[in-house]
Amino acid sequence: MTTQAHHGAGPGTEGIGGAVSGEAPDTTRPETSYDAHFEVWRGDVDGGGLEDFTVEVNEGEVVLDIIHRLQATQAPDLAVRWNCKAGKCGSCSAEINGRPRLLCMTRMSVFDRDEIVTVTPLRAFPVVRDLVTDVGFNYEKARQVPAFVPPPDLGPGEYRMQQEDVGRSQEFRKCIECFLCQDTCHVVRDHEENKAAFAGPRFLMRVAELDMHPLDAAEEAGHDRKTAAQDDHGLGYCNITKCCTEVCPENIKITDNALIPLKERAADRKYDPLVWLGNKIRRRTT
Amino acid sequence: MAHVERQQWDVVIVGAGGAGLRAAIEAREQGLRTAVICKSLFGKAHTVMAEGGIAASMGNVNEGDNWQVHFRDTMRGGKFLNQWRMAELHAREAPERVWELETWGALFDRTPDGRISQRNFGGHEYPRLAHVGDRTGLELIRTLQQKVVSLQQEDFKESGDYEARIKVFQECTVTQILKEPGSEGEDRVSGVFCYERESGRFFVIEAPAVVLATGGIGKSFKVTSNSWEYTGDGHALALLAGASLINMEFVQFHPTGMVWPPSVKGILVTESVRGDGGVLRNSEGKRFMFDYVPDVFKEKYAESEQEADGWYEDPDNNRRPPELLPRDEVARAINAEVKAGRGSPHGGVFLDVSTRMSAETIKRRLPSMHHQFRELADVDITAEPMEVGPTCHYVMGGVDVDSDTAAARGVPGLFAAGEVAGGMHGSNRLGGNSLSDLLVFGRRAGLYAAEYARGCARERPRVADEQIDTAAAEALRPFGVGPAPADEETAGEAAEESAENPYAVHQDLQRAMNDLVGIIRREEEMSEALDRLAELRERARRAKVEGHRQFNPGWHLALDLRNMLLVSECVARAALNRTESRGGHTRDDHPEMDREWRRANLVCTLAAEGASGAEAETGRAGRIALRRREMPPIRKDLLELFEKEELIKYLTDEELTSE
């Protein structure tokens, strides 16, 4: 899966785990610190490669802690994007052993102590430097989704909605925009040519969120979100393999709760002649 | 001279959190071309970490609520040190600001009759916090972000350019506010000097109005809930531009941060846990908060567990649980319990919801907390208690602003809103009052900045080349290519002495502030802190970085050190000076609140210029000058919202009789 799949035992890979005590390492130092072997992609738009590091790991730490330790002790100019370090902002997205993940929510305890931990930048986006990629694609796509349309007859403070009706869209608004789903989606992961026509799971989910908003008045204003999902945002490219759902750190059921229902609604639109006619008439009168 | 690109905008907003984005929306809606500059990606600002909610007296859950009650709670929470006019505007305008978010697409949790649900929080008399589970900050930032995008979509329709009237310069840092020298000694703002984090490229935005919305200073402390962005940039930029900071001695230590494992120490555990029924216990299993209700709050809080538990269902006939005292009180209590040897295994106390609510309710109301503890600490909060302890969370102090317009006093064209502005919260902020503060004063700052900028349209202030050169040289110094520091002698020494690692300087700064100017303060320790800060200032001057300017975190940190050192000195100096305990300032050697001190603000400014020749000497004296200023008396109709017996606890006899 990863572009740098063959990270064989480099120099000094063996025996690193016991570097401090010098005795049978994994049995005499339970739950304290150990030295891990990291391979971190370093480079920029002109190219780069994996760099080997041996680095201390302590109990309870996450991969981002280790990257920070590298910055503080071995590679002060190692570029990484991060912010909250609590899984809330979605900045520190990268690929760990080839899997898209948040650096701050990946515990070191999920790896064996002698396992090589490989950290590479998100593959679907152009590298800026080291672990930092240009995620501008996502901001472009965000702009292409027409905004919430407030109901014209309700003023501020007059909105009334039931919890069960806002719950569906609220699930999608848990999204922290880490763009891991955008990175993993096979429609664009290895197909740069699809990027123009395809908004990606995150922004198709945004369309679904607005479409399911109890008070969104887009339709009354002449904009059909269901048809737009299909025609403008490339919903048809999605063949529901659920890769996006698998990597979502917020556990949002992107495919089941957003994309599939949106597909069903879009299909209803397309094939229901009454809906089609109704739309035409309404659009004409507004 | 290096060539530096210049762009012209009407209003520049520094920071893209809640206050910055709300200011940007307002300035753009006033028709002005608005630039937003932020250190992170658009939508990642620290506001996303706010959990509990937005305080606004909509009265959806308890009809007894109104702005007067909210005002009262805010003043009590701040121990009456608040700029009362800000507290008034905040309480009056918060509901409008929340409702407005709904019209931009926000989806708050609902009451059974379909209104915005409101939850209980420390220090708030009624359920007042509009919320979305425990991820309210994310909802706020996303809603504002999407509103900005919708304005860009309008502009695109009109002009074919999304960024015609509002543009976000993401991952950029401002290092200087530029000013045009004025004829009558009053320099006015002319723009900002910035670098792109990605490329290291410098650029200048020329604009007559600059709004600071940069948040707080928590990264100067070791244990903090704040992200890397919180390096006090706006506080320092304002000082360097000639503005004043007030109330810098008041730093809020949130009572409940995670304490284990070490790598997550300080990460916030939302106050909603207590608002929704969570209780604090010590190692003996005792709900210790009943022992820590201070005199000023005695009448308002329950005296028994039975009464406290009854309050959740029947708030009219029971008093609130003491777990919901303002944050300063709870943080001190936890600190005292741990010190007395009644702490949890990892040096905190126990916060428990597992015995108070069903697992289902916990997962629904506190989903982020459930997730956070499961993922980061292997703790299932539906089955076992959390371990929590105080963490540096918020600075009450900030730029001295005009209450109505958010204009920084003494610097025409400079505005400040949100955490970087001082006064609104007095000596201690209530939970939930931050998000509402961002919206109320973000909007006001945007509005008045736009008005001011419009007034400059005929004669825009100019940015001189020399200013740009100076700013560029300062920014390049960590590479060892900039000119010497102001004074030649120091420069010579600096060249001879060993280069400093910025990460090491930062760690030492965090330790010094945490240990010496932390939650409980003593005179000797704070004096020592000032000595250490002077040494750290010298070391920071010698900070050197490797590599080049493209996305180089070592360089970014080296530049941020200047700001952290300036604000840390403000905190230490003001804390040393204020010989009483109040809100977020607790003196072991002056444990009582002093009514005389209530009337006083401590005002920090940059020490007199031109001291460069003796800079090494004055290093110890510091870069900050401190003076005491009287607060304006509280307006009569606002005072009348309180009972006389309560006012006696806070105001001097003289103030009480001068009616």
Side-chain angles (χ1 to χ4, degrees):
Chain A
M1 213 174 163
T2 168
T3 44
Q4 293 87 18
H6 41 77
H7 39 65
T13 320
E14 301 300 321
I16 283 166
V20 175
S21 72
E23 287 177 276
D26 293 342
T27 51
T28 55
R29 296 199 311 172
E31 299 309 314
T32 53
S33 76
Y34 69 101
D35 288 333
H37 185 179
F38 264 65
E39 292 189 335
V40 182
W41 195 90
R42 301 211 60 190
D44 54 29
V45 62
D46 298 322
L50 292 176
E51 212 169 284
D52 278 6
F53 295 99
T54 299
V55 53
E56 181 187 322
V57 175
N58 302 306
E59 187 186 357
E61 287 184 330
V62 295
V63 173
L64 185 58
D65 290 314
I66 311 308
I67 298 291
H68 284 161
R69 184 163 297 127
L70 288 176
Q71 285 182 331
T73 57
Q74 303 182 40
D77 60 342
L78 171 61
V80 61
R81 193 181 265 137
W82 68 289
N83 201 329
C84 75
K85 201 178 173 290
K88 292 190 168 65
C89 76
S91 299
C92 63
S93 305
E95 302 194 2
I96 302 171
N97 293 345
R99 183 183 160 83
R101 308 182 72 134
L102 294 179
L103 297 174
C104 75
M105 293 303 279
T106 306
R107 296 278 293 275
M108 283 304 296
S109 57
V110 305
F111 306 107
D112 290 335
R113 287 187 173 193
D114 52 4
E115 187 177 351
I116 297 166
V117 179
T118 307
V119 188
T120 51
L122 296 175
R123 194 168 93 192
F125 309 120
V127 163
V128 173
R129 188 170 167 214
D130 302 340
L131 300 176
V132 177
T133 54
D134 176 358
V135 292
F137 165 76
N138 301 289
Y139 288 93
E140 278 170 38
K141 293 296 172 185
R143 281 178 177 167
Q144 291 164 10
V145 179
F148 172 71
V149 179
D153 51 333
L154 291 180
E158 294 173 352
Y159 287 33
R160 297 289 178 274
M161 297 178 266
Q162 290 305 305
Q163 184 60 43
E164 61 259 38
D165 296 328
V166 300
R168 293 183 303 176
S169 293
Q170 278 185 329
E171 182 193 2
F172 310 143
R173 289 182 74 82
K174 273 163 54 185
C175 170
I176 58 173
E177 297 204 331
C178 62
F179 308 129
L180 292 179
C181 60
Q182 303 285 89
D183 176 59
T184 205
C185 178
H186 61 92
V187 175
V188 288
R189 187 167 172 89
D190 290 311
H191 296 279
E192 193 65 28
E193 70 277 11
N194 286 343
K195 279 187 174 173
F198 185 65
R202 195 280 169 262
F203 296 102
L204 287 166
M205 181 172 82
R206 166 77 171 141
V207 176
E209 171 214 315
L210 288 163
D211 195 44
M212 295 180 194
H213 189 301
L215 291 177
D216 177 53
E219 205 167 312
E220 289 82 338
H223 176 69
D224 181 4
R225 296 194 187 276
K226 301 164 187 65
T227 315
Q230 199 74 22
D231 298 347
D232 303 340
H233 307 300
L235 181 61
Y237 283 84
C238 165
N239 46 13
I240 55 174
T241 51
K242 303 198 184 184
C243 313
C244 51
T245 305
E246 272 170 35
V247 298
C248 178
E250 287 293 306
N251 300 313
I252 303 170
K253 302 263 185 299
I254 305 172
T255 318
D256 288 350
N257 292 351
L259 304 188
I260 291 175
L262 192 60
K263 274 173 178 279
E264 287 167 357
R265 288 161 163 239
D268 288 350
R269 263 301 124 98
K270 208 162 182 178
Y271 300 117
D272 183 341
L274 278 180
V275 170
W276 178 84
L277 187 65
N279 263 348
K280 283 283 171 197
I281 292 165
R282 192 168 347 180
R283 210 177 287 191
R284 216 172 283 155
T285 55
T286 48
Chain B
M1 184 198 92
H3 175 74
V4 173
E5 186 201 339
R6 294 171 180 233
Q7 294 198 17
Q8 287 77 36
W9 291 79
D10 297 328
V11 176
V12 178
I13 319 278
V14 188
L21 292 183
R22 187 62 191 82
I25 289 163
E26 193 64 24
R28 155 64 181 74
E29 296 212 285
Q30 294 296 315
L32 276 86
R33 294 183 65 250
T34 304
V36 180
I37 305 174
C38 54
K39 294 208 286 189
S40 279
L41 290 172
F42 185 28
K44 307 294 185 198
H46 200 55
T47 305
V48 302
M49 297 194 68
E51 292 164 353
I54 313 176
S57 60
M58 297 180 286
N60 292 350
V61 173
N62 189 319
E63 287 176 5
D65 207 7
N66 56 45
W67 78 261
Q68 289 94 337
V69 184
H70 191 183
F71 169 80
R72 253 188 344 230
D73 290 344
T74 301
M75 294 295 289
R76 286 171 183 147
K79 299 264 161 66
F80 279 71
L81 197 80
N82 319 56
Q83 297 290 342
W84 49 266
R85 175 63 176 161
M86 290 175 93
E88 179 196 5
L89 289 169
H90 166 259
R92 282 178 185 269
E93 294 177 5
E96 288 166 53
R97 296 285 80 76
V98 173
W99 285 323
E100 169 180 83
L101 293 177
E102 280 201 307
T103 70
W104 298 344
L107 284 174
F108 293 101
D109 290 348
R110 318 306 298 181
T111 60
D113 67 350
R115 296 163 198 260
I116 295 173
S117 176
Q118 300 187 266
R119 69 157 39 116
N120 283 306
F121 237 58
H124 292 282
E125 188 164 341
Y126 296 116
R128 187 175 285 148
L129 271 66
H131 57 93
V132 186
D134 54 5
R135 57 162 191 86
T136 313
L138 175 66
E139 186 68 15
L140 178 63
I141 204 88
R142 200 64 81 230
T143 301
L144 294 172
Q145 179 185 357
Q146 288 164 350
K147 175 63 180 174
V148 167
V149 168
S150 85
L151 291 169
Q152 291 180 324
Q153 289 170 341
E154 283 177 21
D155 290 344
F156 181 75
K157 259 184 209 157
E158 221 172 272
S159 67
D161 179 4
Y162 282 110
E163 293 171 340
R165 288 197 289 176
I166 183 165
K167 175 168 171 149
V168 180
F169 294 78
Q170 55 180 359
E171 299 194 308
C172 294
T173 302
V174 172
T175 65
Q176 285 287 350
I177 291 167
L178 305 170
K179 295 198 300 179
E180 180 189 70
S183 49
E184 282 142 44
E186 255 206 351
D187 304 351
R188 57 177 187 157
V189 164
S190 59
V192 289
F193 180 87
C194 330
Y195 68 89
E196 272 182 9
R197 301 176 77 82
E198 189 176 309
S199 64
R201 191 180 67 90
F202 296 138
F203 65 103
V204 165
I205 294 185
E206 298 179 5
V210 172
V211 178
L212 295 172
T214 51
I217 67 164
K219 269 300 167 192
S220 297
F221 292 79
K222 191 170 155 211
V223 179
T224 176
S225 64
N226 292 173
S227 82
W228 69 265
E229 295 196 288
Y230 269 32
T231 49
D233 295 6
H235 289 81
L237 289 171
L239 277 175
L240 293 167
S244 311
L245 306 184
I246 58 166
N247 292 355
M248 290 302 288
E249 63 273 37
F250 300 106
V251 176
Q252 180 169 83
F253 289 81
H254 194 291
T256 60
M258 292 176 80
V259 296
W260 187 260
S263 79
V264 299
K265 192 165 183 175
I267 292 182
L268 188 65
V269 179
T270 175
E271 189 168 329
S272 318
V273 175
R274 285 170 284 135
D276 289 359
V279 294
L280 291 164
R281 292 199 184 93
N282 62 19
S283 60
E284 295 161 5
K286 184 180 176 192
R287 271 179 78 174
F288 58 85
M289 279 308 300
F290 290 98
D291 300 340
Y292 292 93
V293 183
D295 281 344
V296 287
F297 292 122
K298 272 271 190 291
E299 295 88 44
K300 307 250 173 240
Y301 287 82
E303 281 166 57
S304 69
E305 290 194 29
Q306 193 189 3
E307 182 183 6
D309 289 346
W311 174 82
Y312 292 99
E313 292 302 319
D314 182 9
D316 295 336
N317 294 305
N318 294 286
R319 286 172 297 177
R320 47 202 297 114
E323 277 89 356
L324 291 179
L325 277 160
R327 287 174 176 173
D328 52 329
E329 310 289 353
V330 183
R332 269 191 297 272
I334 293 175
N335 198 66
E337 284 295 305
V338 174
K339 226 173 167 180
R342 294 188 292 269
S344 67
H346 299 109
V349 294
F350 296 106
L351 172 59
D352 184 33
V353 279
S354 64
T355 58
R356 313 271 303 170
M357 285 185 259
S358 73
E360 278 317 299
T361 311
I362 294 168
K363 284 188 212 166
R364 182 168 49 81
R365 297 192 62 100
L366 304 165
S368 309
M369 288 306 104
H370 180 248
H371 184 243
Q372 181 174 312
F373 273 88
R374 193 188 53 204
E375 297 291 323
L376 295 175
D378 293 323
V379 168
D380 177 2
I381 68 167
T382 67
E384 53 194 318
M386 299 162 249
E387 277 187 72
V388 295
T391 178
C392 179
H393 184 55
Y394 187 89
V395 61
M396 271 64 74
V399 181
D400 185 24
V401 293
D402 176 78
S403 297
D404 285 76
T405 64
R409 287 182 221 275
V411 186
L414 187 63
F415 298 78
E419 190 170 350
V420 70
M424 156 70 207
H425 305 287
S427 67
N428 173 54
R429 173 175 71 79
L430 291 184
N433 271 0
S434 181
L435 294 186
S436 41
D437 169 13
L438 305 184
L439 295 170
V440 168
F441 293 102
R443 176 185 153 277
R444 284 183 163 268
L447 179 67
Y448 291 101
E451 189 174 278
Y452 173 87
R454 205 179 283 124
C456 300
R458 275 177 295 112
E459 203 182 352
R460 287 173 61 104
R462 279 200 298 249
V463 175
D465 287 339
E466 310 84 75
Q467 278 190 305
I468 298 177
D469 290 345
T470 310
E474 188 197 16
L476 287 173
R477 196 187 299 157
F479 288 109
V481 297
D487 144 53
E488 268 175 48
E489 207 174 315
T490 320
E493 280 168 31
E496 282 160 36
E497 281 164 322
S498 59
E500 286 283 347
N501 175 346
Y503 294 97
V505 177
H506 184 211
Q507 279 167 13
D508 290 348
L509 168 66
Q510 290 181 315
R511 203 167 307 129
M513 291 304 286
N514 219 78
D515 296 349
L516 304 175
V517 203
I519 183 165
I520 309 290
R521 299 162 173 177
R522 293 170 197 87
E523 182 177 347
E524 315 80 64
E525 290 182 350
M526 288 183 285
S527 300
E528 192 192 331
L530 284 168
D531 287 343
R532 286 222 214 150
L533 287 172
E535 290 163 23
L536 287 164
R537 220 164 30 239
E538 289 307 308
R539 288 175 58 194
R541 223 189 288 275
R542 301 196 305 272
K544 286 281 177 298
V545 295
E546 292 173 27
H548 49 77
R549 278 158 65 182
Q550 196 188 12
F551 218 113
N552 186 337
W555 178 43
H556 303 161
L557 178 60
L559 296 180
D560 292 343
L561 281 174
R562 176 198 69 185
N563 302 339
M564 285 187 272
L565 285 163
L566 278 173
V567 296
S568 295
E569 190 185 333
C570 291
V571 174
R573 220 167 267 290
L576 179 62
N577 192 280
R578 184 177 281 269
T579 48
E580 66 155 354
S581 292
R582 180 185 299 271
H585 171 64
T586 306
R587 292 279 301 251
D588 210 29
D589 44 3
H590 297 276
E592 301 300 319
M593 190 160 75
D594 178 348
R595 291 185 300 168
E596 282 299 333
W597 267 111
R598 191 210 64 82
R599 279 192 287 176
N601 282 141
L602 292 175
V603 183
C604 296
T605 49
L606 210 58
E609 287 176 42
S612 62
E615 202 166 3
E617 218 83 47
T618 56
R620 214 130 283 251
R623 298 202 59 198
I624 299 298
L626 194 70
R627 69 188 158 84
R628 184 182 161 131
R629 188 178 71 192
E630 292 289 299
M631 302 253 298
I634 300 170
R635 211 175 61 220
K636 192 158 170 284
D637 60 305
L638 295 176
L639 269 189
E640 283 167 2
L641 296 172
F642 299 90
E643 300 289 328
K644 193 118 192 178
E645 295 81 73
E646 183 173 13
L647 291 178
I648 289 168
K649 299 171 185 169
Y650 296 102
L651 307 190
T652 58
D653 301 341
E654 181 194 336
E655 287 174 283
L656 287 166
T657 51
S658 66
E659 282 170 24

